Amino acid sequence: MADISDRRARRRAETQAEILDIALDVMAEEGVAGLSLATVARRLGVRPPSLYKYFPSRHAVYDALFKLGQEGYLAAVRAPGEPGLRGMGASLEAGARWIMDNQVLAQLLFWRPVPGFTPSPESYAPALAIHEHFATLIRDAVRRGELHPDAAREEGLALAASLIAGPVSQQLANEPGATYEEGRFTRLVPRLPAVFAAVYPPP
Amino acid sequence: MADISDRRARRRAETQAEILDIALDVMAEEGVAGLSLATVARRLGVRPPSLYKYFPSRHAVYDALFKLGQEGYLAAVRAPGEPGLRGMGASLEAGARWIMDNQVLAQLLFWRPVPGFTPSPESYAPALAIHEHFATLIRDAVRRGELHPDAAREEGLALAASLIAGPVSQQLANEPGATYEEGRFTRLVPRLPAVFAAVYPPP
DNA sequence: AGCTTAGGCTAATGGTAGTAGCTCTAGCTA
DNA sequence: TAGCTAGAGCTACTACCATTAGCCTAAGCT
């Protein structure tokens, strides 16, 4: 985007990234809604008002993190690149792993923990791409005869989204410390494609 | 507990209940983590420090609400009183309805949106009863030959919990305004017993 | 009837987000 | 290279918040 030769713009972008990095640390320690710009400023070695040169408000920091999160999660679920039901399983697992590795961002994305914060349309955009990604995988699985055509309808997509949201939600709320491997609930993720296929068996 | 004839104790309990009521309103408007005791005091017609005669801290208010929520949810899922797989379906539906009717409490119970707040053991106690309620229903369904015995094992219970957490989580995060009837995700709840049975078909 | 104490208050502390407006200097432009 | 601009820091301030200390009044128990 910005001209690389512009030293000032580059430095500015670096500082912005550093602020977001520290903000993530603070949120991990204090809770997602516990982000304090004063704390961030202290760790950055700067007075609180100076942060407003980089972000117009606390919500703007959340919004930037929300966008980062959406992009990271989208990249994670797209990474496997496999098609069909197998691909769906691989995507779900990759997504669940990303969530356990980025719990703070995940809470910001999938719950609404910050009073008054709603993501801007621009930051929300990748969410649509994520939805489309899974819809494509499911349509593909239907085409291969791995799932009933109803799986690709509105209700099937809602069920697929709920199936993955379940274990992830439980894991984050009840055993947040665990890794993907250890988690009592994330352990269920590899079984989800079979569960989904049991609900929508091929005709 | 307290002697009913003690007028002072009764008045005190009434005021405490009124504070919790107002707190719920404020949380509904400002977000669960956005509860401000000053706002509660204003609506109660009192100065902020006076609230400390009833609750020792903001977290204590959350804790009381958490307990209320656990008790309410427990009562809701127990209400149907049916046994077996049918009873499980009835419990899940009753629970989902309660959640959509008490969204603020549900967020407090099932997510962890308030920085620094963890429920006291006493307030958390009903959660164990809720777990036990569903475990009993599932064991009963196994006994009736409606489910495979594995459904009553650790993993089966975790899956059951995840199955209900999924739609509810999606609904609260993405379509919080909807009622149980309208919700794109709560609509899936009646299908969950069948999904569960498909994963653990009787032997 | 008298005493205790519950339950209100004011004042104050130390924290927060955000604004106004000043200053200095890095680094772009002529 | 010299000069100017705007970016990025600062202090001072406002308006909130949670919480504590300590005072006062009157409800109501004994």
Side-chain angles (χ1 to χ4, degrees), chain B residues 9 16 20 27 29 44 50 56 71-72 74 91 100 111 126-127 140 155-156 164 171 176 184-185 187 189 191 195 202:
Chain B
Q16 275 173 330
L20 296 181
M27 286 157 80
E29 291 163 31
L44 189 61
S50 299
E71 290 165 353
L74 175 59
S91 268
M100 292 311 288
W111 298 348
D140 191 54
E155 205 180 58
I164 180 61
Q171 191 66 55
R184 220 164 70 228
F185 299 95
R187 240 206 299 275
V189 171
R191 298 179 53 186
V195 175

Side-chain angles (χ1 to χ4, degrees), chain A residues 30-31 33-34 110-113 115-116 154-155 158-159 161-163 165-167 169-170 173-174 184-185 188 191 195 198-200, chain B residues 30-31 33-34 110-113 115-116 154-155 158-159 161-163 165-167 169-170 173-174 184-185 188 191 195 198-200:
Chain A
E30 305 295 328
F110 303 121
W111 298 346
R112 294 289 153 95
E154 236 266 323
E155 204 180 57
L159 181 61
S162 298
L163 281 181
S169 214
Q170 288 282 313
N174 299 311
R184 219 163 72 228
F185 298 96
L188 300 169
R191 298 178 55 186
V195 175
V199 180
Y200 292 108
Chain B
E30 306 294 328
F110 303 121
W111 298 348
R112 294 289 151 98
E154 234 265 321
E155 205 180 58
L159 182 61
S162 299
L163 280 181
S169 213
Q170 289 282 313
N174 298 311
R184 220 164 70 228
F185 299 95
L188 300 169
R191 298 179 53 186
V195 175
V199 180
Y200 292 108

Side-chain angles (χ1 to χ4, degrees), chain B residues 23-44:
Chain B
L24 277 178
D25 286 349
V26 174
M27 286 157 80
E29 291 163 31
E30 306 294 328
V32 174
L35 174 63
S36 132
L37 293 193
T39 305
V40 173
R42 247 179 328 258
R43 298 200 188 172
L44 189 61

Side-chain angles (χ1 to χ4, degrees), chain B residues 77-193:
Chain B
V77 300
R78 272 181 176 167
E82 275 179 87
L85 197 61
R86 256 185 80 83
M88 181 183 169
S91 268
L92 290 181
E93 182 176 328
R97 279 181 192 281
W98 182 91
I99 287 170
M100 292 311 288
D101 289 341
N102 300 271
Q103 298 193 19
V104 164
L105 287 178
Q107 287 179 47
L108 194 61
L109 296 186
F110 303 121
W111 298 348
R112 294 289 151 98
V114 183
F117 166 66
T118 17
S120 63
E122 192 212 337
S123 300
Y124 190 73
L128 306 175
I130 292 166
H131 186 269
E132 194 43 50
H133 171 73
F134 282 106
T136 302
L137 286 174
I138 290 174
R139 277 196 300 268
D140 191 54
V142 168
R143 211 173 301 118
R144 292 160 170 255
E146 296 169 335
L147 292 173
H148 190 280
D150 283 353
R153 303 181 58 138
E154 234 265 321
E155 205 180 58
L157 297 179
L159 182 61
S162 299
L163 280 181
I164 180 61
V168 157
S169 213
Q170 289 282 313
Q171 191 66 55
L172 286 181
N174 298 311
E175 265 188 3
T179 64
Y180 175 84
E181 259 73 29
E182 302 158 358
R184 220 164 70 228
F185 299 95
T186 42
R187 240 206 299 275
L188 300 169
V189 171
R191 298 179 53 186
L192 295 180

